[in-house]
Amino acid sequence: MRNVVGLSLLLLAGIGQHELYAQQDASVVEHGVYEVHLLLHGIGTEEYSISDDGTHRQMAVTTSTNDRGMKHLVSTTLDFGEGGAAVRLEQHALAVPGSPPPNPGSLTEIQGSAVTVREGKLSRLVTKPAIAFPGLGSMPASLQMMMMRYWLQHGRPAQLALLRASPDAKPVEIRMVGHEAFTVRHKVIRLTRYTITNLIFGREVLWMNDSNRVAALMTFAGGLPQEEVLDEYASALDGIYQSGVRQEMIDLGELSHSMQPEAGGSFALVGARLIDATGAPAVENSVVIVRNGRIAAVGAAGSVVVPAHLRVIHGEGKSLLPGLWDMHVHYSGVEFGPAMLAAGITTARDCGGEFDFLTQVRKAIDTQHMLGPRLLLAGLIDSGGPLAFGAFDIETPEQAIEAVDLYADSHFDQIKVYTQIKPEILRVITAEAHRRGLTVTGHVPQADDAFEGIADGMDMINHLEFVTDSMLPKGSKETFTPAALESERGRALIRLLVERHVVVDPTLAWGEMAGHPKSIETASFEPGVDAAPFPLATRFRNIGSTTVDAAAFNAEMAANEKAVDTLFTAGVPIVAGSDTDLVGYGLDRELELYVQAGMTPLQAIQSATIVPARVMKRDGDSGTIEAGKRADLVLVDGNPLNNISDLRRVVSVVVDGRLFDSRKLARSVGFSR
């Protein structure tokens, strides 16, 4: 049997697929290569072979990716018998120079009805159901192909049990949802489209050809949209992707029709503590009247008359706030909408996603009242070839202008620049964006520091690190400490941020989630993980660093909190964003960290309500609870002015005048809250 690791290294060395195929063992009966895309940008390959020597059947898979310089090499091996029944499944990451140490692998062994499963730190012994297939947190396309073949051979059951290390794993639900044809090399090919639920958070879209090979799939198992396509169908990827987007809109329609509002049209919210985010003191017994998507009246009970026969929603003992804004999301699937609404998020800024999906889901939410927050879009632009992030890989001024104009013509709100852009291209992007009425946010490009990025036209900066690193001496390899805030460069940068009204979204919570030592349990700082659906919970329980110790991590978090406090006190606009943190709950954690940093709870709330509304020029109709504004509201148990964590206790959310039960929204996409 061939060495899959050696094969992958040969591929990286440039040896062609056909040369390699000729070298394979005679026992190889099937072979294929998938192109792997992240945000429609090629980042690597997945290669598989199936061998059968008459006594032993095995599929060997090597996945090799390079995402923005982060290299990963993963080996997956499946031993199977008659009918595709699995006997043994193993997956482990291989060490790659320059990349973090790999996580512990996974192993599933099946002996008769006894199954032993180990995934990272979890393990269990389970009795195998009659029909079941082993699962993984990251399922390569070729392994999903084997799962699909098994499902087809066993009569397409409504549910297929997954053998996982936790009993919380739900069975997958596979649905055949359509057929379509594409032209590849002047030949018409026929594919069958499926959706798969419970393998990841939400639904995957997968296509099989008439030979029962997976032709392509769309997923966001790693937190961002990802596509895989069998190399022989690579020329049809755009058409396949468009088909997937159409399917996601169908899925969104199904979700939305299954979740009707509890109230709409005209109704009154009475008795709640009103925290209107204007800065005024809370009103302990309030009345808010909603009519046709707008706030018709608001005030203390007794000052606002509730018309006879108007439906009344009681909020006694609860707090009513403006709908929350999440200013840094990567909206990667239609299930994000209900999850974010359940957390009280009624407006979200996407900071880099897939053009067609985002524009279509925004339209569905705005014009068809589908489930989801109002979406503001920042169009992603990067440079750098293999190191680029996203589909817009820009190298010339002409390309830069064309990309900005495409986003502007499609009613994006901003441009988001990324790390590899050269200063001369950044200046073209910002000039054209400003000419078209767009602002520019993003990463400070690698060739610049924050001083230069602002001089080149950046209006906003994503991630605190791009600010704090620029306070250190140019070219310094030092680690940021609070002392840098008082340095000459630190004080100068703070003055510049204030003078130019540059907005910062720090994403402290994502830094905490991604960088915490694995010795610190995720639930100790993010209890929302316990309510998350199994695929999400597994991902976030296993995320973190194996090389950072707790003392160093705590010192880094304390330094970052001090930086946020210093910037905020100086007058730098701070807006809250969760990035790819736990959907919904990540914003709650961000606000908790702001309070920990020194903001009052009201100031933290304003960073997710009126402040982002102002910086996005939407404060005329959003961000506070005032008559005439959009009826975007959130009702929570408790008093977040006393305990900011009460924002986690959402009871109801009102989006564009429609009131939904938070728990029902959450459960519709697998959360248990």
Side-chain angles (χ1 to χ4, degrees):
M1 192 156 306
R2 71 192 182 102
N3 184 317
V4 294
V5 177
L7 176 58
S8 180
L9 294 177
L10 288 170
L11 277 171
L12 292 173
I15 295 177
Q17 171 189 335
H18 298 295
E19 296 173 71
L20 288 167
Y21 189 75
Q23 298 172 21
Q24 291 173 351
D25 295 341
S27 62
V28 171
V29 295
E30 185 176 326
H31 169 262
V33 178
Y34 291 91
E35 295 179 2
V36 181
H37 299 261
L38 184 74
L39 292 174
L40 294 172
H41 178 81
I43 63 167
T45 60
E46 172 194 323
E47 181 171 14
Y48 79 92
S49 66
I50 298 176
S51 60
D52 185 347
D53 61 9
T55 60
H56 183 221
R57 301 175 189 177
Q58 184 181 79
M59 182 178 73
V61 187
T62 300
T63 307
S64 177
T65 58
N66 184 350
D67 173 17
R68 292 162 282 173
M70 296 176 285
K71 297 179 181 179
H72 299 279
L73 191 61
V74 179
S75 171
T76 307
T77 307
L78 174 72
D79 294 279
F80 61 97
E82 292 292 336
V87 176
R88 187 178 189 274
L89 173 65
E90 182 176 14
Q91 183 181 79
H92 59 275
L94 303 161
V96 177
S99 294
N103 292 327
S106 302
L107 176 64
T108 301
E109 294 182 299
I110 303 169
Q111 296 181 329
S113 62
V115 183
T116 304
V117 189
R118 175 179 58 78
E119 296 181 67
K121 295 181 289 185
L122 291 179
S123 63
R124 70 169 179 149
L125 181 66
V126 63
T127 300
K128 179 184 174 297
I131 300 175
F133 196 84
L136 292 169
S138 178
M139 291 272 280
S142 47
L143 183 59
Q144 292 194 43
M145 177 177 70
M146 299 302 289
M147 180 184 73
M148 290 294 297
R149 290 175 179 178
Y150 179 85
W151 176 75
L152 290 166
Q153 290 170 348
H154 286 80
R156 306 181 180 219
Q159 294 187 327
L160 175 62
L162 276 187
L163 303 173
R164 300 292 302 269
S166 168
D168 296 331
K170 292 184 177 180
V172 294
E173 298 176 7
I174 303 170
R175 294 172 56 199
M176 192 277 285
V177 291
H179 301 281
E180 50 216 324
F182 302 95
T183 300
V184 177
R185 298 172 188 168
H186 309 293
K187 181 181 178 181
V188 176
I189 60 163
R190 179 181 179 273
L191 300 180
T192 303
R193 188 175 69 255
Y194 298 86
T195 59
I196 305 178
T197 305
N198 296 329
L199 193 62
I200 60 167
F201 170 55
R203 304 181 209 189
E204 269 190 357
V205 187
L206 178 145
W207 291 261
M208 298 280 282
N209 68 12
D210 288 339
S211 301
N212 282 341
R213 296 180 83 191
V214 167
L217 65 81
M218 291 172 59
T219 182
F220 48 93
L224 289 168
Q226 182 173 304
E227 297 82 28
E228 291 198 45
V229 59
L230 197 63
D231 60 354
E232 62 195 74
Y233 301 133
S235 63
L237 176 59
D238 184 64
I240 291 171
Y241 167 70
Q242 296 296 339
S243 165
V245 172
R246 289 192 295 271
Q247 181 60 50
E248 290 187 287
M249 295 307 103
I250 293 170
D251 295 342
L252 177 59
E254 290 179 358
L255 265 175
S256 300
H257 291 133
S258 71
M259 187 57 51
Q260 295 300 310
E262 307 285 314
S266 298
F267 58 92
L269 287 154
V270 303
R273 176 183 301 102
L274 177 68
I275 304 170
D276 65 14
T278 65
V283 176
E284 289 299 326
N285 183 10
S286 69
V287 173
V288 174
I289 294 177
V290 173
R291 283 199 186 97
N292 300 321
R294 293 278 162 179
I295 299 169
V298 56
S303 68
V304 177
V305 176
V306 179
H309 310 301
L310 189 68
R311 180 171 181 181
V312 172
I313 309 294
H314 287 277
E316 289 82 4
K318 301 175 178 63
S319 297
L320 185 67
L321 301 90
L324 301 176
W325 287 55
D326 191 328
M327 282 289 282
H328 195 135
V329 305
H330 293 273
Y331 204 90
S332 300
V334 297
E335 291 80 12
F336 278 50
M340 295 174 77
L341 291 178
I345 298 166
T346 58
T347 302
R349 176 180 68 170
D350 183 89
C351 283
E354 294 184 340
F355 183 95
D356 294 283
F357 169 74
L358 289 173
T359 53
Q360 291 193 38
V361 76
R362 178 185 62 181
K363 180 180 179 181
I365 292 169
D366 289 348
T367 66
Q368 301 173 46
H369 303 294
M370 296 295 179
L371 281 178
R374 175 173 58 173
L375 287 176
L376 308 181
L377 306 182
L380 178 62
I381 299 178
D382 199 8
S383 302
L387 294 178
F389 183 44
F392 289 79
D393 184 358
I394 301 304
E395 298 293 345
T396 68
E398 294 77 15
Q399 291 174 338
I401 291 170
E402 184 179 357
V404 171
D405 288 348
L406 175 62
Y407 282 129
D409 291 344
S410 301
H411 307 293
F412 278 62
D413 301 271
Q414 295 184 301
I415 299 298
K416 179 182 178 177
V417 295
Y418 212 71
T419 313
Q420 300 297 322
I421 289 176
K422 298 178 180 66
E424 59 270 23
I425 299 297
L426 175 60
R427 289 190 287 272
V428 173
I429 289 170
T430 59
E432 181 66 6
H434 293 157
R435 187 184 76 81
R436 295 297 307 270
L438 279 64
T439 51
V440 178
T441 190
H443 291 203
V444 174
Q446 200 169 60
D448 279 347
D449 59 22
F451 291 96
E452 295 160 336
I454 294 168
D456 288 342
M458 292 185 68
D459 305 289
M460 307 184 188
I461 295 175
N462 303 137
H463 309 299
L464 181 67
E465 66 191 80
F466 291 107
V467 175
T468 54
D469 286 353
S470 296
M471 294 179 178
L472 302 173
K474 196 144 176 91
S476 171
K477 301 297 184 185
E478 298 174 22
T479 300
F480 170 77
T481 67
L485 297 164
E486 301 300 327
S487 69
E488 183 178 345
R489 278 181 65 86
R491 291 196 300 271
L493 182 53
I494 293 170
R495 286 195 302 270
L496 182 63
L497 292 166
V498 174
E499 289 167 4
R500 298 288 186 89
H501 307 289
V502 176
V503 180
V504 176
D505 72 288
T507 62
L508 288 184
W510 173 237
E512 178 184 48
M513 178 65 75
H516 76 277
K518 288 199 170 184
S519 58
I520 299 176
E521 293 291 336
T522 302
S524 68
F525 60 87
E526 182 43 87
V529 74
D530 291 334
F534 174 75
L536 274 185
T538 299
R539 175 173 177 253
F540 285 103
R541 286 193 178 110
N542 289 312
I543 206 169
S545 171
T546 57
T547 59
V548 175
D549 65 57
F553 168 73
N554 290 333
E556 179 183 358
M557 287 299 299
N560 289 338
E561 289 168 14
K562 177 62 176 175
V564 168
D565 181 49
T566 301
L567 294 174
F568 175 76
T569 302
V572 177
I574 301 293
V575 294
S578 63
D579 202 354
T580 52
D581 208 338
L582 183 58
V583 182
Y585 289 107
L587 182 67
D588 295 327
R589 183 56 182 162
E590 187 78 5
L591 300 185
E592 290 169 351
L593 289 171
Y594 290 176
V595 172
Q596 198 168 297
M599 289 188 191
T600 67
L602 177 58
Q603 290 167 340
I605 290 166
Q606 289 176 319
S607 77
T609 52
I610 185 56
V611 177
R614 283 188 191 127
V615 303
M616 298 302 290
K617 298 181 174 57
R618 303 296 180 104
D619 52 316
D621 83 333
S622 189
T624 58
I625 302 178
E626 296 179 273
K629 291 195 173 184
R630 278 173 57 105
D632 288 347
L633 310 163
V634 57
L635 187 68
V636 303
D637 264 330
N639 183 358
L641 295 180
N642 292 338
N643 178 13
I644 192 66
S645 295
D646 282 349
L647 288 177
R648 294 176 177 269
R649 303 167 62 194
V650 178
V651 176
S652 302
V653 62
V654 180
V655 58
D656 199 21
R658 295 166 297 142
L659 183 143
F660 292 91
D661 181 286
S662 173
R663 189 174 294 275
K664 290 180 181 178
L665 284 168
R667 287 177 173 170
S668 75
V669 288
F671 285 81
S672 62
R673 65 170 171 185

